[in-house]
Amino acid sequence: MNRQNPLGTVLLLGLTSCLAVTFGASRAAAQDSGVTVIKNATIITVTKGTIEHGSILIRDGKIAEVGKSVKEPAGATVIDASGMFVTPGIIDCHSHIAVEGGVNEGSVAVSSMVSVGDVLNPDDIEIYRDLAGGVTVAHVLHGSANPIGGQNQLIKLRWGKTASELKFEGAPLSIKFALGENPKRNNFQPPPGIPQRYPESRMGVMDVIRQAFVDAREYKKTWDEYNRRVAAGDKTAIPPRRNLKLDPLVEILEGKRWVHSHSYRADEILQLMLLADEFGFKVRTFQHVLEGYRVADEMAKHGAGGSTFSDWWAYKMEAYEAIPYNAAMMTRRGVLVSINSDDAEEAQHLNQEAAKSIKYGGLTENEALRLVTINPAIQLGIDKRVGSIETGKDADLVIYNHPPLSVYAVPQKVFIDGHMYFDREKDLAMRAENAKERQALLEKEKKAAEAEKKPGEGKGGAEKKPGAGPHPSNEGQPREAVKPPQDLHAASAWLD
């Protein structure tokens, strides 16, 4: 039986309250709304050039005006950003944050019936950490254990909101596919007594995907026939049995759900594009796509985008042929490219990851910044709302203390829908208070532990008997020191 120390529980709750205090500034600020003006900044719009000593008027969560001569409405909150730089919020096209209970439903080869949107965890501390790195939108994908995986969920990093409030309203539907080592599971051994799941080969991966679409096409025909009969006034028509696994695949065939596919090798990228052509749909993006530079022309012709790493390579066999010039080479061949994280820590400095494409491939500064702003917005079908600083778009903005592609650039304030969800100044101010309360709780635990070690207690120094005292559930049990949560300072420490 797992016995817990009640005092330890109290201390853990106290430490958790410290965590809430540390990030309370962001949560509280996010409640503010109305009119805000950011003035005297270098505004990098991404799509409309750069405005020196410019201002942005934010009203009702939208960018109302951008320029050098923006008037400050009476009662507006004014932020003087002299010497600072304002960019659109960073968009991470491949993330796995805010998921409760794992990102893979790996028990079956086709898991299109499951959805990441059902298991969002709004309390995941990685939301705050990535927000502090300037990320405002994340494409949270199902894992890559299946040739056809689950449905993805696009979110805004509205720290402090509920799971449903994280969801990006009106975003196009999407689903995760996967090719190569992960879905063929050759590096995964099931528990004793459990048979290995099909497929176990790369050709088996393609077979699973093809057969699924054969089934979906036949399933679609039954519904098309039923709908035709209903439209003709046939009152005897009986609807087909619903198939939750095939419904999302029919949406793909109808162009209502987009495919984002985990991929590495050039041959497999070509295979999936050929299969997509066979069934009449497009692959929206190839994720990772480390050998995309080898088939960039074919990707551009198909209309597939590439969402890749800046310079990750050789971490497994499929990644041995990766090169840091990949993003630039695909860009020059006409492929729409973004740089993603696939990692919560990596997302905290995606601006710097994008900057590497200037060194490796010669992209311009604006082209590099597009890799984490407007390009992923286009790939995800949300470019009418985010990805650049333009009138009418959502006020998802980052204020940097240095040019955004500099290694010295640190986000000072981050806005989503015009609300300030991260303020570095307030974050820093809360750290001393948090550390003081944390130390007080640890001292309290230390004193309690020392008191419990005394040989007797109560009148006459009677020996303490099993079951006596304030914590009977812990008698005779080894005590473990209550360690502060590792996450307590981690969200802020990397900013130092």
Side-chain angles (χ1 to χ4, degrees), residues 108-413:
V108 291
V110 178
S111 61
S112 51
M113 73 294 286
V114 305
S115 174
V116 169
D118 291 335
V119 291
L120 288 179
N121 175 14
D123 296 322
D124 182 2
I125 192 61
E126 303 296 357
I127 297 173
Y128 182 83
R129 292 171 178 168
D130 289 358
L131 178 68
V135 178
T136 56
V137 175
H139 188 211
V140 185
L141 285 85
H142 185 275
S144 54
N146 329 71
I148 297 179
Q151 301 163 39
N152 310 317
Q153 181 62 57
L154 195 66
I155 66 172
K156 285 199 175 188
L157 274 59
R158 301 176 177 122
W159 176 247
K161 298 298 185 179
T162 65
S164 60
E165 290 172 320
L166 292 180
K167 296 180 180 180
F168 195 119
E169 310 87 349
L173 303 175
S174 69
I175 192 170
K176 176 74 171 292
F177 282 23
L179 310 173
E181 290 183 22
N182 289 16
K184 71 189 183 76
R185 313 278 276 178
N186 62 313
N187 295 324
F188 175 80
Q189 293 298 322
I194 304 297
Q196 187 79 15
R197 192 202 73 190
Y198 180 79
E200 292 185 342
S201 66
R202 296 178 188 275
M203 59 184 173
V205 169
M206 299 310 298
D207 168 65
V208 166
I209 298 174
R210 177 173 282 106
Q211 185 60 55
F213 277 104
V214 169
D215 295 344
R217 191 164 54 186
E218 294 303 311
Y219 176 66
K220 181 178 182 299
K221 287 180 181 178
T222 63
W223 276 99
D224 289 346
E225 175 60 18
Y226 167 74
N227 291 329
R228 183 193 66 77
R229 291 177 61 183
V230 170
D234 185 351
K235 298 185 181 300
T236 66
I238 300 175
R241 184 185 296 271
R242 285 286 305 279
N243 188 316
L244 299 181
K245 181 170 70 174
L246 295 180
D247 280 342
L249 304 187
V250 171
E251 291 174 338
I252 294 171
L253 294 175
E254 294 175 340
K256 299 176 181 178
R257 185 177 294 275
W258 295 348
V259 173
H260 298 273
S261 182
H262 167 109
S263 61
Y264 283 89
R265 287 176 23 172
D267 53 350
E268 292 175 329
I269 296 169
L270 290 174
Q271 285 175 338
L272 186 58
M273 288 192 292
L274 290 172
L275 187 148
D277 291 341
E278 177 184 340
F279 287 94
F281 68 91
K282 298 294 183 183
V283 179
R284 187 69 180 186
T285 69
F286 284 98
Q287 298 286 319
H288 312 317
V289 63
L290 296 191
E291 293 187 20
Y293 64 93
R294 288 179 163 170
V295 289
D297 291 341
E298 290 80 3
M299 288 175 61
K301 181 178 179 181
H302 178 81
S307 188
T308 188
F309 299 134
S310 57
D311 56 1
W312 286 15
W313 72 287
Y315 49 89
K316 60 179 179 175
M317 288 301 298
E318 291 178 319
Y320 265 62
E321 298 300 321
I323 59 174
Y325 297 88
N326 189 38
M329 290 179 68
M330 287 193 292
T331 297
R332 294 290 179 247
R333 305 302 294 184
V335 177
L336 182 67
V337 179
S338 66
I339 296 289
N340 67 53
S341 73
D342 193 23
D343 178 81
E345 190 280 331
E346 183 88 351
Q348 297 168 22
H349 46 86
L350 272 180
N351 57 314
Q352 295 175 15
E353 298 306 308
K356 294 176 182 178
S357 63
I358 299 174
K359 174 179 176 62
Y360 299 112
L363 295 189
T364 66
E365 290 187 10
N366 197 67
E367 286 175 324
L369 194 56
R370 289 179 68 97
L371 297 176
V372 291
T373 54
I374 192 64
N375 286 8
I378 296 171
Q379 291 176 339
L380 298 170
I382 53 175
D383 53 300
K384 300 299 182 184
R385 288 185 54 185
V386 294
S388 61
I389 300 178
E390 299 180 58
T391 301
K393 285 194 171 185
D394 295 358
D396 292 4
L397 306 167
V398 184
I399 301 178
Y400 287 97
N401 59 345
H402 290 283
L405 299 179
S406 166
V407 294
Y408 300 104
V410 175
Q412 303 300 300
K413 301 181 190 297

Side-chain angles (χ1 to χ4, degrees), residues 79-94:
I79 298 173
D80 188 350
S82 297
M84 298 190 183
F85 301 79
V86 182
T87 72
I90 289 175
I91 300 171
D92 189 354
C93 197
H94 190 129

